[in-house]
Amino acid sequence: MLEVVRIPVLNDNYVWLMHDDASGETVVVDPAVADPSLEAAAARGWRITQIWNTHWHGDHVGGNAAIKAATGCAITGPAAEAGKISTLDVLVGEDDMVRIGDHQARVMAVPAHTAGHIAYHLADDAMIFVGDTLFAMGCGRLFEGTAAQMFDAMARFAALPDETIVYCAHEYTQSNGRFALSVEPDNAALAARMAAVDAARAHGEATVPTSIGLERATNIFMRAKNVDELAARRAAKDAA
């Protein structure tokens, strides 16, 4: 079994530390900064052997160089963004496979937030690391991509098994949910989820990871019927 640890950093980022006890390998996913990941691994007696990046933004790759200097780890990331991530050792794209011990992750190309954004889907472990493409009750801003690309990405995620655990990179759930309720005020599942989210945040608790099943029921971007509807919802959220 893989163990995944959530590391809160900066204002609202989450770095994910994934450990395979059988092999002793530990992967850091999207390290915004180095020290919290190094400290979390050291506290558990884990050795960081890899970094997996989903996209080039600084709050996802900022810790790459220092972690590599401290551990000698290999850094994997999107080939399409190699020109923007100088620390990459392994370049990957759609359908490439990466491993932690005997656990395999298939790379999914999900451009929209950035032009070369990828996700890492560990099907046998029912896990996916989605970076800034999919959020709890939300999706990433369309900085470099299009609404059509985001609609396609949402469809690909929605097609995964409901039990798939979704590891996203920010604590945006409360603001996403409030906006979602303004779009789907009669969605009972959404209202119930927001009550739980509000309670969790009132106690300073994290609201992620989430699951594909939960997002299918409550994520208005995943639930958009077509590209135009997603585009309108994204534009309204940006303006909110």
Side-chain angles (χ1 to χ4, degrees), residues 50-134:
Q50 298 183 64
I51 292 171
W52 294 355
N53 292 147
T54 61
H55 65 291
W56 67 269
H57 284 164
D59 63 334
H60 292 256
V61 304
N64 279 9
I67 293 174
K68 182 170 183 173
T71 65
C73 68
I75 304 177
T76 297
E81 297 184 356
K84 295 183 176 181
I85 311 175
S86 62
T87 48
L88 293 183
D89 301 303
V90 182
L91 308 180
V92 294
E94 177 71 20
D95 284 336
D96 284 337
M97 304 298 292
V98 296
R99 305 178 69 91
I100 170 174
D102 290 333
H103 301 263
Q104 289 195 113
R106 182 173 68 88
V107 174
M108 297 172 62
V110 285
H113 180 67
T114 65
H117 202 300
I118 59 175
Y120 298 91
H121 179 215
L122 294 92
D124 291 344
D125 298 281
M127 297 161 47
I128 187 167
F129 293 90
V130 295
D132 283 358
T133 304
L134 175 63

Side-chain angles (χ1 to χ4, degrees), residues 149-173:
Q149 288 176 320
M150 185 63 80
F151 184 78
D152 288 344
M154 292 298 107
R156 295 188 71 184
F157 293 141
L160 299 176
D162 281 355
E163 65 270 19
T164 305
I165 301 300
V166 177
Y167 296 93
C168 59
H170 289 275
E171 182 59 65
Y172 291 162
T173 312

